[in-house]
Short mmCIF file of all heavy atoms in Angstrom, two decimals:
data_model
loop_
_atom_site.label_atom_id
_atom_site.label_comp_id
_atom_site.label_asym_id
_atom_site.label_seq_id
_atom_site.Cartn_x
_atom_site.Cartn_y
_atom_site.Cartn_z
N MET A 6 0.88 -1.18 0.00
CA MET A 6 0.01 -0.01 0.00
C MET A 6 0.90 1.22 0.00
O MET A 6 1.84 1.28 -0.74
CB MET A 6 -0.92 -0.07 1.21
CG MET A 6 -1.94 0.98 1.24
SD MET A 6 -3.53 0.32 0.78
CE MET A 6 -4.43 1.72 0.40
N TYR A 7 0.64 2.20 0.79
CA TYR A 7 1.40 3.45 0.76
C TYR A 7 2.76 3.30 1.44
O TYR A 7 2.92 2.51 2.36
CB TYR A 7 0.61 4.56 1.43
CG TYR A 7 -0.73 4.78 0.81
CD1 TYR A 7 -1.91 4.50 1.49
CD2 TYR A 7 -0.83 5.28 -0.49
CE1 TYR A 7 -3.13 4.71 0.90
CE2 TYR A 7 -2.06 5.50 -1.09
CZ TYR A 7 -3.22 5.20 -0.39
OH TYR A 7 -4.41 5.39 -0.98
N LEU A 27 7.06 10.88 -11.87
CA LEU A 27 5.84 11.55 -11.53
C LEU A 27 5.85 13.01 -11.98
O LEU A 27 4.85 13.58 -12.40
CB LEU A 27 5.53 11.47 -10.01
CG LEU A 27 4.17 11.97 -9.54
CD1 LEU A 27 3.01 11.34 -10.33
CD2 LEU A 27 4.01 11.71 -8.05
N PHE A 30 5.03 13.05 -15.60
CA PHE A 30 3.56 12.90 -15.72
C PHE A 30 2.87 14.26 -15.53
O PHE A 30 2.02 14.66 -16.32
CB PHE A 30 3.10 11.90 -14.64
CG PHE A 30 1.62 11.86 -14.39
CD1 PHE A 30 0.79 10.99 -15.08
CD2 PHE A 30 1.05 12.69 -13.46
CE1 PHE A 30 -0.58 10.95 -14.81
CE2 PHE A 30 -0.31 12.66 -13.17
CZ PHE A 30 -1.13 11.78 -13.89
N ALA A 31 3.21 14.97 -14.47
CA ALA A 31 2.57 16.21 -14.13
C ALA A 31 2.85 17.32 -15.15
O ALA A 31 1.91 17.93 -15.68
CB ALA A 31 2.99 16.65 -12.72
N GLN A 34 1.45 16.64 -18.67
CA GLN A 34 0.01 16.90 -18.73
C GLN A 34 -0.27 18.40 -18.78
O GLN A 34 -1.10 18.85 -19.58
CB GLN A 34 -0.64 16.26 -17.51
CG GLN A 34 -2.15 16.22 -17.58
CD GLN A 34 -2.74 15.50 -16.37
OE1 GLN A 34 -3.91 15.63 -16.10
NE2 GLN A 34 -1.96 14.67 -15.67
N PHE A 42 4.82 13.47 -21.41
CA PHE A 42 3.80 12.77 -20.66
C PHE A 42 3.97 11.24 -20.83
O PHE A 42 4.00 10.50 -19.87
CB PHE A 42 2.41 13.23 -21.09
CG PHE A 42 1.28 12.70 -20.26
CD1 PHE A 42 1.19 12.96 -18.92
CD2 PHE A 42 0.26 11.96 -20.85
CE1 PHE A 42 0.14 12.49 -18.14
CE2 PHE A 42 -0.80 11.48 -20.10
CZ PHE A 42 -0.84 11.77 -18.75
N PHE A 46 5.46 6.59 -18.39
CA PHE A 46 4.74 5.32 -18.28
C PHE A 46 5.48 4.15 -18.94
O PHE A 46 6.03 4.31 -20.01
CB PHE A 46 3.37 5.43 -18.93
CG PHE A 46 2.46 6.41 -18.26
CD1 PHE A 46 2.28 7.67 -18.81
CD2 PHE A 46 1.77 6.11 -17.10
CE1 PHE A 46 1.45 8.60 -18.21
CE2 PHE A 46 0.94 7.01 -16.49
CZ PHE A 46 0.77 8.27 -17.03
N VAL A 51 -0.94 0.93 -16.09
CA VAL A 51 -2.36 1.04 -15.71
C VAL A 51 -2.51 2.29 -14.89
O VAL A 51 -1.70 2.55 -13.99
CB VAL A 51 -2.84 -0.20 -14.90
CG1 VAL A 51 -4.22 -0.01 -14.39
CG2 VAL A 51 -2.71 -1.44 -15.75
N LEU A 52 -3.55 3.08 -15.17
CA LEU A 52 -3.87 4.28 -14.40
C LEU A 52 -5.30 4.16 -13.92
O LEU A 52 -6.21 3.99 -14.74
CB LEU A 52 -3.66 5.53 -15.23
CG LEU A 52 -3.72 6.83 -14.42
CD1 LEU A 52 -2.72 7.85 -14.94
CD2 LEU A 52 -5.09 7.42 -14.39
N ASP A 53 -5.47 4.25 -12.61
CA ASP A 53 -6.78 4.10 -11.98
C ASP A 53 -7.15 5.37 -11.27
O ASP A 53 -6.65 5.68 -10.17
CB ASP A 53 -6.80 2.94 -11.02
CG ASP A 53 -8.14 2.64 -10.45
OD1 ASP A 53 -9.14 3.35 -10.77
OD2 ASP A 53 -8.25 1.67 -9.65
N PHE A 54 -8.03 6.19 -11.89
CA PHE A 54 -8.51 7.46 -11.30
C PHE A 54 -9.85 7.25 -10.62
O PHE A 54 -10.44 8.16 -10.07
CB PHE A 54 -8.62 8.52 -12.41
CG PHE A 54 -8.83 9.90 -11.89
CD1 PHE A 54 -7.81 10.60 -11.27
CD2 PHE A 54 -10.05 10.54 -12.04
CE1 PHE A 54 -8.00 11.91 -10.79
CE2 PHE A 54 -10.26 11.83 -11.57
CZ PHE A 54 -9.24 12.51 -10.93
N GLY A 55 -10.32 6.00 -10.61
CA GLY A 55 -11.62 5.68 -10.02
C GLY A 55 -11.80 6.11 -8.60
O GLY A 55 -12.82 6.72 -8.23
N PRO A 56 -10.84 5.81 -7.72
CA PRO A 56 -11.00 6.22 -6.31
C PRO A 56 -11.14 7.74 -6.16
O PRO A 56 -11.91 8.21 -5.33
CB PRO A 56 -9.74 5.72 -5.62
CG PRO A 56 -9.32 4.55 -6.45
CD PRO A 56 -9.63 4.95 -7.86
N ALA A 57 -10.42 8.53 -6.98
CA ALA A 57 -10.53 9.98 -6.88
C ALA A 57 -11.88 10.46 -7.38
O ALA A 57 -12.54 11.29 -6.73
CB ALA A 57 -9.40 10.63 -7.67
N SER A 58 -12.31 9.95 -8.53
CA SER A 58 -13.59 10.42 -9.09
C SER A 58 -14.77 10.03 -8.20
O SER A 58 -15.79 10.75 -8.16
CB SER A 58 -13.78 9.89 -10.50
OG SER A 58 -13.88 8.50 -10.52
N ALA A 59 -14.67 8.93 -7.49
CA ALA A 59 -15.74 8.49 -6.60
C ALA A 59 -15.99 9.50 -5.47
O ALA A 59 -17.10 9.59 -4.94
CB ALA A 59 -15.43 7.13 -5.98
N ALA A 60 -14.98 10.33 -5.14
CA ALA A 60 -15.11 11.31 -4.07
C ALA A 60 -16.22 12.33 -4.36
O ALA A 60 -16.80 12.89 -3.44
CB ALA A 60 -13.79 12.05 -3.83
N TRP A 61 -16.52 12.58 -5.62
CA TRP A 61 -17.61 13.49 -5.94
C TRP A 61 -18.70 12.81 -6.74
O TRP A 61 -19.47 13.42 -7.49
CB TRP A 61 -17.11 14.76 -6.66
CG TRP A 61 -16.37 14.51 -7.93
CD1 TRP A 61 -16.87 14.15 -9.14
CD2 TRP A 61 -14.96 14.59 -8.11
NE1 TRP A 61 -15.89 14.01 -10.05
CE2 TRP A 61 -14.69 14.27 -9.47
CE3 TRP A 61 -13.90 14.90 -7.27
CZ2 TRP A 61 -13.41 14.26 -9.99
CZ3 TRP A 61 -12.62 14.89 -7.81
CH2 TRP A 61 -12.41 14.57 -9.13
N ALA A 65 -14.64 6.71 -13.17
CA ALA A 65 -13.67 6.77 -14.25
C ALA A 65 -13.14 5.34 -14.46
O ALA A 65 -12.67 4.73 -13.49
CB ALA A 65 -12.51 7.71 -13.88
N PRO A 66 -13.20 4.85 -15.67
CA PRO A 66 -12.71 3.49 -15.92
C PRO A 66 -11.18 3.46 -15.82
O PRO A 66 -10.52 4.46 -16.08
CB PRO A 66 -13.16 3.20 -17.35
CG PRO A 66 -13.34 4.53 -17.99
CD PRO A 66 -13.74 5.47 -16.89
N GLU A 67 -10.67 2.30 -15.40
CA GLU A 67 -9.24 2.10 -15.37
C GLU A 67 -8.71 2.20 -16.81
O GLU A 67 -9.31 1.67 -17.72
CB GLU A 67 -8.98 0.74 -14.77
CG GLU A 67 -7.56 0.50 -14.35
CD GLU A 67 -7.41 -0.81 -13.58
OE1 GLU A 67 -7.22 -1.83 -14.26
OE2 GLU A 67 -7.53 -0.79 -12.35
N MET A 68 -7.57 2.87 -16.98
CA MET A 68 -6.94 2.99 -18.28
C MET A 68 -5.76 2.04 -18.33
O MET A 68 -5.00 1.97 -17.37
CB MET A 68 -6.46 4.42 -18.51
CG MET A 68 -7.58 5.43 -18.63
SD MET A 68 -6.93 7.11 -18.69
CE MET A 68 -7.48 7.72 -17.10
N ILE A 74 -3.54 5.63 -22.13
CA ILE A 74 -3.50 6.62 -21.06
C ILE A 74 -3.22 8.00 -21.64
O ILE A 74 -3.92 8.98 -21.34
CB ILE A 74 -2.45 6.25 -19.99
CG1 ILE A 74 -2.86 4.99 -19.25
CG2 ILE A 74 -2.22 7.41 -19.01
CD1 ILE A 74 -1.75 4.34 -18.42
N ILE A 78 -6.15 11.00 -21.62
CA ILE A 78 -5.98 12.20 -20.82
C ILE A 78 -5.71 13.44 -21.65
O ILE A 78 -6.39 14.45 -21.49
CB ILE A 78 -4.88 11.98 -19.74
CG1 ILE A 78 -5.37 10.94 -18.73
CG2 ILE A 78 -4.53 13.30 -19.05
CD1 ILE A 78 -4.35 10.52 -17.70
N PHE A 82 -8.36 16.76 -22.36
CA PHE A 82 -8.06 18.09 -21.79
C PHE A 82 -7.67 19.13 -22.83
O PHE A 82 -7.99 20.30 -22.67
CB PHE A 82 -6.92 17.97 -20.78
CG PHE A 82 -7.31 17.34 -19.44
CD1 PHE A 82 -6.37 16.97 -18.52
CD2 PHE A 82 -8.65 17.12 -19.13
CE1 PHE A 82 -6.71 16.41 -17.30
CE2 PHE A 82 -8.99 16.56 -17.91
CZ PHE A 82 -8.03 16.21 -17.00
N HIS A 90 -0.21 21.02 -11.91
CA HIS A 90 -0.03 19.97 -10.89
C HIS A 90 1.21 20.32 -10.05
O HIS A 90 2.24 20.68 -10.60
CB HIS A 90 0.21 18.63 -11.54
CG HIS A 90 -1.02 18.06 -12.21
ND1 HIS A 90 -1.44 18.50 -13.44
CD2 HIS A 90 -1.89 17.10 -11.79
CE1 HIS A 90 -2.51 17.81 -13.78
NE2 HIS A 90 -2.84 16.98 -12.80
N ARG A 105 8.14 1.65 -5.24
CA ARG A 105 6.81 2.16 -4.84
C ARG A 105 7.03 3.62 -4.46
O ARG A 105 7.98 3.95 -3.75
CB ARG A 105 6.30 1.37 -3.64
CG ARG A 105 4.86 1.55 -3.32
CD ARG A 105 4.05 0.76 -4.34
NE ARG A 105 2.63 0.74 -4.08
CZ ARG A 105 1.96 -0.33 -3.69
NH1 ARG A 105 2.58 -1.45 -3.43
NH2 ARG A 105 0.67 -0.26 -3.57
N LEU A 106 6.14 4.46 -4.92
CA LEU A 106 6.15 5.91 -4.63
C LEU A 106 4.80 6.31 -4.11
O LEU A 106 3.76 5.98 -4.70
CB LEU A 106 6.50 6.67 -5.91
CG LEU A 106 6.22 8.18 -5.94
CD1 LEU A 106 7.13 8.92 -4.98
CD2 LEU A 106 6.42 8.70 -7.36
N THR A 107 4.78 7.06 -3.01
CA THR A 107 3.59 7.68 -2.52
C THR A 107 3.87 9.18 -2.53
O THR A 107 4.92 9.61 -2.10
CB THR A 107 3.26 7.24 -1.07
OG1 THR A 107 3.06 5.82 -1.06
CG2 THR A 107 2.04 7.93 -0.53
N ALA A 108 2.90 9.96 -3.04
CA ALA A 108 3.09 11.43 -3.08
C ALA A 108 1.72 12.11 -3.03
O ALA A 108 0.72 11.51 -3.41
CB ALA A 108 3.85 11.84 -4.35
N LEU A 109 1.74 13.35 -2.59
CA LEU A 109 0.55 14.19 -2.70
C LEU A 109 0.66 15.02 -3.95
O LEU A 109 1.74 15.55 -4.25
CB LEU A 109 0.46 15.12 -1.49
CG LEU A 109 0.23 14.42 -0.12
CD1 LEU A 109 0.28 15.44 0.99
CD2 LEU A 109 -1.07 13.68 -0.12
N VAL A 110 -0.43 15.13 -4.66
CA VAL A 110 -0.45 15.94 -5.87
C VAL A 110 -1.67 16.86 -5.81
O VAL A 110 -2.79 16.38 -5.62
CB VAL A 110 -0.52 15.06 -7.15
CG1 VAL A 110 -0.58 15.95 -8.40
CG2 VAL A 110 0.70 14.14 -7.21
N GLU A 111 -1.41 18.16 -5.91
CA GLU A 111 -2.48 19.11 -5.98
C GLU A 111 -2.67 19.48 -7.45
O GLU A 111 -1.73 19.82 -8.12
CB GLU A 111 -2.15 20.36 -5.15
CG GLU A 111 -3.32 21.31 -5.05
CD GLU A 111 -3.01 22.40 -4.01
OE1 GLU A 111 -3.11 22.13 -2.80
OE2 GLU A 111 -2.67 23.50 -4.49
N ALA A 112 -3.89 19.35 -7.91
CA ALA A 112 -4.20 19.58 -9.32
C ALA A 112 -5.29 20.64 -9.47
O ALA A 112 -6.39 20.46 -8.93
CB ALA A 112 -4.63 18.28 -9.97
N HIS A 114 -7.71 22.52 -12.15
CA HIS A 114 -8.29 22.36 -13.48
C HIS A 114 -9.18 23.58 -13.74
O HIS A 114 -10.06 23.90 -12.92
CB HIS A 114 -9.15 21.12 -13.56
CG HIS A 114 -8.37 19.84 -13.37
ND1 HIS A 114 -7.85 19.45 -12.18
CD2 HIS A 114 -8.04 18.88 -14.27
CE1 HIS A 114 -7.22 18.32 -12.33
NE2 HIS A 114 -7.31 17.93 -13.58
N LEU A 126 -8.04 19.88 -6.65
CA LEU A 126 -8.04 18.57 -6.01
C LEU A 126 -6.73 18.33 -5.28
O LEU A 126 -5.65 18.69 -5.81
CB LEU A 126 -8.21 17.47 -7.08
CG LEU A 126 -9.42 17.49 -7.96
CD1 LEU A 126 -9.22 18.41 -9.16
CD2 LEU A 126 -9.73 16.09 -8.43
N LYS A 127 -6.79 17.73 -4.14
CA LYS A 127 -5.62 17.21 -3.42
C LYS A 127 -5.72 15.71 -3.48
O LYS A 127 -6.62 15.13 -2.87
CB LYS A 127 -5.53 17.71 -2.01
CG LYS A 127 -4.28 17.26 -1.26
CD LYS A 127 -3.00 17.83 -1.84
CE LYS A 127 -2.74 19.19 -1.23
NZ LYS A 127 -1.43 19.74 -1.63
N ASN A 128 -4.81 15.06 -4.19
CA ASN A 128 -4.90 13.65 -4.41
C ASN A 128 -3.69 12.92 -3.82
O ASN A 128 -2.57 13.48 -3.81
CB ASN A 128 -4.99 13.33 -5.89
CG ASN A 128 -6.28 13.79 -6.51
OD1 ASN A 128 -7.34 13.74 -5.86
ND2 ASN A 128 -6.24 14.23 -7.74
N LEU A 129 -3.91 11.73 -3.37
CA LEU A 129 -2.84 10.86 -2.89
C LEU A 129 -2.54 9.84 -4.00
O LEU A 129 -3.46 9.11 -4.41
CB LEU A 129 -3.29 10.15 -1.61
CG LEU A 129 -2.25 9.20 -0.99
CD1 LEU A 129 -0.97 9.91 -0.59
CD2 LEU A 129 -2.88 8.50 0.25
N TYR A 130 -1.32 9.85 -4.48
CA TYR A 130 -0.92 8.93 -5.56
C TYR A 130 -0.17 7.75 -4.93
O TYR A 130 0.72 7.92 -4.11
CB TYR A 130 0.03 9.63 -6.52
CG TYR A 130 -0.63 10.50 -7.56
CD1 TYR A 130 -1.58 11.49 -7.19
CD2 TYR A 130 -0.33 10.36 -8.89
CE1 TYR A 130 -2.15 12.29 -8.16
CE2 TYR A 130 -0.91 11.17 -9.85
CZ TYR A 130 -1.85 12.11 -9.49
OH TYR A 130 -2.43 12.92 -10.44
N ASP A 131 -0.55 6.56 -5.37
CA ASP A 131 0.12 5.34 -5.01
C ASP A 131 0.64 4.77 -6.31
O ASP A 131 -0.14 4.35 -7.15
CB ASP A 131 -0.85 4.38 -4.30
CG ASP A 131 -0.19 3.11 -3.85
OD1 ASP A 131 1.06 3.08 -3.69
OD2 ASP A 131 -0.90 2.11 -3.61
N VAL A 132 1.96 4.77 -6.47
CA VAL A 132 2.58 4.47 -7.77
C VAL A 132 3.53 3.29 -7.66
O VAL A 132 4.42 3.30 -6.78
CB VAL A 132 3.33 5.70 -8.32
CG1 VAL A 132 3.93 5.43 -9.70
CG2 VAL A 132 2.44 6.93 -8.35
N GLU A 133 3.37 2.34 -8.52
CA GLU A 133 4.35 1.25 -8.69
C GLU A 133 5.18 1.56 -9.93
O GLU A 133 4.64 2.03 -10.93
CB GLU A 133 3.63 -0.09 -8.86
CG GLU A 133 2.80 -0.48 -7.64
CD GLU A 133 1.98 -1.74 -7.87
OE1 GLU A 133 2.31 -2.53 -8.79
OE2 GLU A 133 1.00 -1.91 -7.12
N MET A 144 6.49 4.47 -14.55
CA MET A 144 5.33 4.14 -13.75
C MET A 144 4.59 2.97 -14.44
O MET A 144 4.24 3.04 -15.62
CB MET A 144 4.41 5.34 -13.60
CG MET A 144 5.10 6.50 -12.89
SD MET A 144 4.01 7.86 -12.42
CE MET A 144 3.22 8.30 -13.97
N ARG A 146 1.93 1.24 -12.55
CA ARG A 146 0.56 1.28 -12.04
C ARG A 146 0.43 2.54 -11.19
O ARG A 146 1.26 2.80 -10.30
CB ARG A 146 0.24 0.05 -11.21
CG ARG A 146 -1.18 0.06 -10.66
CD ARG A 146 -1.61 -1.30 -10.08
NE ARG A 146 -2.99 -1.28 -9.64
CZ ARG A 146 -4.05 -1.33 -10.41
NH1 ARG A 146 -3.92 -1.43 -11.70
NH2 ARG A 146 -5.26 -1.28 -9.91
N VAL A 147 -0.62 3.30 -11.41
CA VAL A 147 -0.88 4.53 -10.70
C VAL A 147 -2.32 4.48 -10.19
O VAL A 147 -3.27 4.31 -10.99
CB VAL A 147 -0.72 5.78 -11.61
CG1 VAL A 147 -0.96 7.05 -10.80
CG2 VAL A 147 0.66 5.80 -12.25
N VAL A 148 -2.49 4.59 -8.88
CA VAL A 148 -3.85 4.66 -8.29
C VAL A 148 -3.95 6.01 -7.63
O VAL A 148 -3.11 6.37 -6.80
CB VAL A 148 -4.09 3.52 -7.29
CG1 VAL A 148 -5.46 3.65 -6.65
CG2 VAL A 148 -3.91 2.16 -7.97
N ILE A 149 -4.97 6.76 -8.00
CA ILE A 149 -5.15 8.13 -7.51
C ILE A 149 -6.41 8.18 -6.61
O ILE A 149 -7.51 7.90 -7.07
CB ILE A 149 -5.28 9.11 -8.66
CG1 ILE A 149 -4.06 8.96 -9.59
CG2 ILE A 149 -5.43 10.54 -8.16
CD1 ILE A 149 -4.19 9.73 -10.90
N ALA A 150 -6.18 8.55 -5.37
CA ALA A 150 -7.27 8.70 -4.40
C ALA A 150 -7.41 10.17 -4.06
O ALA A 150 -6.41 10.87 -3.93
CB ALA A 150 -7.03 7.87 -3.15
N ASN A 151 -8.62 10.67 -3.91
CA ASN A 151 -8.84 12.04 -3.58
C ASN A 151 -8.93 12.23 -2.07
O ASN A 151 -9.66 11.54 -1.39
CB ASN A 151 -10.13 12.55 -4.24
CG ASN A 151 -10.37 14.01 -3.98
OD1 ASN A 151 -11.25 14.37 -3.18
ND2 ASN A 151 -9.64 14.85 -4.64
N LEU A 152 -8.17 13.20 -1.54
CA LEU A 152 -8.26 13.55 -0.12
C LEU A 152 -9.26 14.67 0.12
O LEU A 152 -9.99 14.64 1.10
CB LEU A 152 -6.88 13.98 0.39
CG LEU A 152 -5.78 12.92 0.28
CD1 LEU A 152 -4.42 13.49 0.72
CD2 LEU A 152 -6.14 11.69 1.09
N TRP A 153 -9.32 15.62 -0.79
CA TRP A 153 -10.33 16.65 -0.74
C TRP A 153 -10.39 17.36 -2.11
O TRP A 153 -9.46 17.26 -2.90
CB TRP A 153 -10.12 17.67 0.37
CG TRP A 153 -8.80 18.38 0.37
CD1 TRP A 153 -7.71 18.07 1.14
CD2 TRP A 153 -8.41 19.52 -0.41
NE1 TRP A 153 -6.70 18.95 0.88
CE2 TRP A 153 -7.09 19.84 -0.06
CE3 TRP A 153 -9.06 20.29 -1.35
CZ2 TRP A 153 -6.39 20.91 -0.65
CZ3 TRP A 153 -8.37 21.34 -1.95
CH2 TRP A 153 -7.05 21.64 -1.57
N VAL A 161 -13.02 18.92 -14.51
CA VAL A 161 -12.18 17.73 -14.69
C VAL A 161 -12.79 16.85 -15.77
O VAL A 161 -12.10 16.44 -16.72
CB VAL A 161 -12.03 16.94 -13.38
CG1 VAL A 161 -11.16 15.71 -13.60
CG2 VAL A 161 -11.47 17.82 -12.28
N PHE A 162 -14.08 16.54 -15.66
CA PHE A 162 -14.70 15.52 -16.51
C PHE A 162 -15.55 16.08 -17.65
O PHE A 162 -15.99 15.32 -18.51
CB PHE A 162 -15.53 14.57 -15.68
CG PHE A 162 -14.72 13.68 -14.83
CD1 PHE A 162 -14.76 13.79 -13.45
CD2 PHE A 162 -13.89 12.73 -15.39
CE1 PHE A 162 -13.99 12.96 -12.65
CE2 PHE A 162 -13.10 11.90 -14.59
CZ PHE A 162 -13.18 12.02 -13.22
#
Side-chain angles (χ1 to χ4, degrees):
M6 186 105 198
Y7 302 112
L27 188 52
F30 166 93
Q34 191 175 162
F42 188 60
F46 296 100
V51 172
L52 190 143
D53 185 359
F54 192 72
S58 66
W61 57 76
E67 195 172 87
M68 294 173 249
I74 293 167
I78 292 175
F82 286 169
H90 290 79
R105 194 76 175 249
L106 164 66
T107 299
L109 294 175
V110 178
E111 188 170 282
H114 296 71
L126 300 86
K127 182 66 85 173
N128 293 324
L129 180 61
Y130 279 52
D131 183 19
V132 183
E133 297 174 21
M144 299 189 306
R146 181 167 182 78
V147 182
V148 178
I149 304 171
N151 182 256
L152 299 176
W153 57 261
V161 180
F162 290 112

